[in-house]
Amino acid sequence: MQKIDWENLGFSYRDTNCHIRHSWRNGVWDDGELCASPYLNMHVAAGCLHYGQAAFEGLKAFCCKDGKVRIFRPLDNIRRMAMTARRICMPEVPEELYIKALERVIRANRAFIPPYGTGGSLYIRPLLIGSGVQIGIAPAGEYTFLILVVPVGAYYKGGLHPVKAVIYDDFDRAAPLGVGGIKVAGNYAASLFAHEKAKMEGFAVELYLDAKTHTFVEEFATSNFVGITADGAYVTPESTSILPSITNLTLMELAREQGLDVQARSVRFDELENFSEIGACGTAVVLTPVCSITRGERVIRIGPEQGCGAVFQSLYERVQAIQYSEAPDRYGWCHVVEMDD
Ligand SMILES: Cc1ncc(COP(=O)(O)O)c(C=O)c1O
């Protein structure tokens, strides 16, 4: 194995020892196997390729201060994938099978888990796809569930960096009764064009408003919206077309613990200028502070242009401390992976 430069890992794919793969046929999941090749041999008429039956998840495992390896909130990701599966007519992956698969693939790739102190983690990407042959529009008859892992580095070196966000009124991400509230692959295809445009124009993230009225804030393309009001309330939008972010649930719990008033409610675009901190939250980065939001000619500035507001800084540190077991796991979020086979 090539020596890994733990301090300089980014967030990109690299080969590991293997991924784990389970198949669903005739109504049952098989026992799964560890596959060294990162390629999948698939029929050209597989349902996922034509009709988008594909769900994925993103979670992380950490090498902790006590040397143990822990997965952060795996049951929440498992249940969210089950919700996605139901909505797009795929079989759910049973929780016990899922947890075992996570443990097996992590154990088999233990050499790729960034050591404690490097700020890195093992990013885990479960994928559930309709792999059966399906030429008429209908759910596929067979499914493949796989989990791949990738070591990733600390996103922030030397503190949280704020980014610029943009709202485009000519693109929507998710319809009110569509599939924005689940993690189906097509949602990301739907947002690629706007994302490339944003990057070209110098913005790191796009913020979406509700598709029906463009009045209410929904979420960023790959992360939830969080705002801190001038009087210290934690506000996050509530809508059927927002993905329920597990990081957001974590932050809400920790914000309550710090005595903040946590409000999950409709957030009008007009309110944005009243927030003292705005951030994008998700597994990859935990929290990215946003220093400005541009909509056409209008630019709303929030918080410091350098660094990060005090509330986000403290929430970010709390999450990281729990993930690396530097602080007690009062909520039972961390799942220890026994490393003996
Ligand atoms: C659309 C969208 N919103 C929010 C999130 C953040 O969710 P989580 O905190 O579970 O990573 C993600 C990432 O999974 C996402 O793709």
Side-chain angles (χ1 to χ4, degrees):
M1 184 181 128
Q2 246 189 336
K3 208 167 173 298
I4 301 175
D5 179 6
W6 300 114
E7 306 293 337
N8 292 303
L9 282 173
F11 194 90
S12 54
Y13 178 81
R14 63 181 297 147
D15 283 335
T16 57
N17 286 340
C18 58
H19 66 274
I20 189 162
R21 198 187 300 169
H22 289 262
S23 300
W24 185 93
R25 285 190 194 93
N26 304 318
V28 285
W29 286 105
D30 70 8
D31 292 335
E33 55 175 344
L34 294 166
C35 307
S37 166
Y39 290 93
L40 197 59
N41 190 14
M42 199 184 292
H43 197 286
V44 291
C48 63
L49 299 178
H50 299 253
Y51 304 129
Q53 264 191 311
F56 71 98
E57 274 300 331
L59 63 164
K60 282 178 169 176
F62 298 83
C63 183
C64 297
K65 196 175 178 192
D66 58 3
K68 292 191 175 165
V69 173
R70 292 179 175 82
I71 319 174
F72 192 64
R73 303 194 69 159
L75 268 181
D76 295 270
N77 289 89
I78 291 172
R79 288 174 185 160
R80 192 169 66 184
M81 184 175 258
M83 193 168 80
T84 307
R86 284 193 294 274
R87 177 67 175 80
I88 61 169
C89 301
M90 301 198 289
E92 291 174 32
V93 180
E95 287 180 9
E96 202 183 324
L97 179 152
Y98 206 134
I99 282 281
K100 281 210 175 101
L102 285 167
E103 292 175 340
R104 270 173 85 186
V105 74
I106 290 170
R107 267 199 295 275
N109 288 290
R110 69 189 78 183
F112 292 88
I113 308 173
Y116 174 73
T118 60
S121 55
L122 191 70
Y123 180 70
I124 306 168
R125 169 56 66 83
L127 178 72
L128 174 61
I129 52 176
S131 46
V133 173
Q134 192 59 48
I135 212 70
I137 296 185
E142 292 179 7
Y143 292 84
T144 299
F145 170 59
L146 61 86
I147 307 174
L148 60 97
V149 295
V150 187
V152 296
Y155 193 85
Y156 293 115
K157 291 185 186 131
L160 277 73
H161 306 303
V163 300
K164 293 180 181 170
V166 64
I167 295 173
Y168 293 124
D169 276 293
D170 39 3
F171 296 105
D172 290 321
R173 191 190 82 94
L177 300 176
V179 289
I182 57 166
K183 209 161 166 64
V184 52
N187 285 346
Y188 300 86
S191 63
L192 281 179
F193 189 88
H195 186 60
E196 290 304 297
K197 179 175 157 77
K199 270 200 302 196
M200 257 170 19
E201 294 177 357
F203 301 103
V205 286
E206 317 86 75
L207 178 60
Y208 286 94
L209 302 179
D210 75 288
K212 202 168 174 181
T213 68
H214 279 211
T215 312
F216 298 99
V217 175
E218 293 235 302
E219 66 172 324
F220 297 97
T222 57
S223 43
N224 274 185
F225 174 100
V226 180
I228 306 295
T229 60
D231 54 0
Y234 180 110
V235 178
T236 193
E238 204 168 44
S239 150
T240 51
S241 44
I242 294 175
L243 188 78
S245 153
I246 293 154
T247 312
N248 200 0
L249 292 177
T250 302
L251 292 169
M252 286 195 261
E253 200 61 57
L254 299 177
R256 272 187 216 105
E257 196 184 88
Q258 293 188 5
L260 270 64
D261 172 22
V262 173
Q263 304 172 5
R265 58 162 172 87
S266 299
V267 178
R268 296 179 68 86
F269 169 77
D270 307 340
E271 276 185 66
L272 288 181
E273 60 192 10
N274 302 334
F275 288 111
S276 55
E277 297 180 43
I278 285 179
C281 74
T283 295
V285 187
V286 181
L287 245 178
T288 305
V290 170
C291 59
S292 72
I293 299 175
T294 298
R295 183 182 187 185
E297 296 297 303
R298 185 160 172 206
V299 182
I300 301 164
R301 295 189 198 283
I302 317 108
E305 227 167 88
Q306 305 290 325
C308 167
V311 177
F312 283 167
Q313 185 66 42
S314 102
L315 286 173
Y316 176 76
E317 284 168 14
R318 272 292 283 143
V319 174
Q320 291 254 294
I322 296 171
Q323 288 178 327
Y324 287 108
S325 275
E326 294 159 352
D329 174 24
R330 285 198 210 133
Y331 304 94
W333 287 331
C334 303
H335 177 92
V336 175
V337 181
E338 296 302 341
M339 282 298 156
D340 301 325
D341 293 299

